[in-house]
Amino acid sequence: MTSRDAILGRIRAALTDVPSEERPQDVPVPRDYRRSHTGPGQDTVALFAERVADYRATVSRTDRAGLRDAVAVALTRRRARYLALPGGFPMELLPTGSWQWHTEPLDVPALDELDGAITLAAAGIAITGTIVLDTSPGQGRRALTLVPDYHLCIVGADQIADDVPDALARLDPTRPLTFISGPSATSDIELDRVEGVHGPRTLDVIIVEPSVSGH
């Protein structure tokens, strides 16, 4: 018996008292848990920026008019010239210059040769400093943001949810979701932090607000 068989066997055994006609939606799930850990009137965007930066990601804030300049600044700072570009990414958001944009399809060796990837996001979560990608246009498949060593992600301020339940309510559960909290890192071995284990070592996040002053 394989491990798979053993696991599925235990699941079947645990479900023997469930009527065959019953469906998941037939059983109410209590939702009376605390749905947000933010304070009343708390600046969600500021909290998101603070928490993302806690993970050693670089965060900048701009508005739509300043977005192309913000992208140029980030890419210049990282010396990233060769970038993976997911299908459906708005070309008007890209700065003009010497950057080379490589669009899908890209195999793993091709992705590995690039400096990084630039994507949009499906949502942000303020309390955890997490960005969520769901492979919609402008976000690409998972490999696009796992193989290159640098990820530049653009998040709209209106996409930032207070907490995880709010974010999940905004997302489509049928889509493949990737939750990203900072650059890839692990401290599994003797609590020594190692970055770049399962994804890019460097993460930049640009928050796009309706209007920005003083940032």
Side-chain angles (χ1 to χ4, degrees):
M1 175 182 292
T2 66
S3 297
R4 180 177 183 275
D5 293 335
I7 293 171
L8 292 178
R10 291 186 182 185
I11 293 174
R12 292 189 186 97
L15 297 175
T16 53
D17 61 341
V18 177
S20 60
E21 68 277 12
E22 184 176 292
R23 297 293 178 266
Q25 57 269 29
D26 297 332
V27 181
V29 178
R31 305 287 187 187
D32 54 352
Y33 47 80
R34 187 174 179 180
R35 300 185 65 83
S36 178
H37 292 78
T38 58
Q42 189 164 7
D43 187 337
T44 302
V45 176
L47 177 62
F48 174 75
E50 176 188 331
R51 295 292 168 87
V52 172
D54 281 345
Y55 287 113
R56 300 186 187 180
T58 300
V59 183
S60 59
R61 299 169 64 171
T62 186
D63 55 19
R64 186 80 177 185
L67 180 54
R68 292 207 306 175
D69 288 342
V71 170
V73 168
L75 296 179
T76 301
R77 180 175 60 239
R78 302 299 182 188
R79 298 180 179 178
R81 290 190 56 210
Y82 306 96
L83 284 305
L85 197 65
F89 190 94
M91 301 301 288
E92 66 272 18
L93 302 185
L94 299 177
T96 56
S98 59
W99 293 283
Q100 294 186 17
W101 316 106
H102 297 257
T103 55
E104 295 270 42
L106 297 166
D107 59 21
V108 172
L111 285 171
D112 198 34
E113 291 294 321
L114 300 178
D115 295 327
I118 178 172
T119 74
L120 305 177
I125 306 174
I127 200 73
T128 61
T130 302
I131 54 177
V132 187
L133 276 61
D134 69 357
T135 73
S136 292
Q139 299 173 43
R141 58 196 170 97
R142 293 193 68 191
L144 206 68
T145 53
L146 290 177
V147 178
D149 203 29
Y150 170 61
H151 180 194
L152 172 58
C153 187
I154 300 170
V155 185
D158 59 349
Q159 293 182 291
I160 299 173
D162 290 350
D163 212 327
V164 175
D166 182 18
L168 293 178
R170 302 182 183 201
L171 297 168
D172 181 350
T174 65
R175 302 192 66 84
L177 302 175
T178 301
F179 291 72
I180 302 171
S181 297
S184 171
T186 181
S187 299
D188 288 348
I189 301 176
E190 298 183 350
L191 298 180
D192 289 332
R193 181 180 172 93
V194 178
E195 297 181 341
V197 179
H198 306 297
R201 284 179 293 185
T202 304
L203 172 66
D204 286 343
V205 177
I206 299 176
I207 302 172
V208 185
E209 303 178 79
S211 62
V212 173
S213 61
H215 295 291

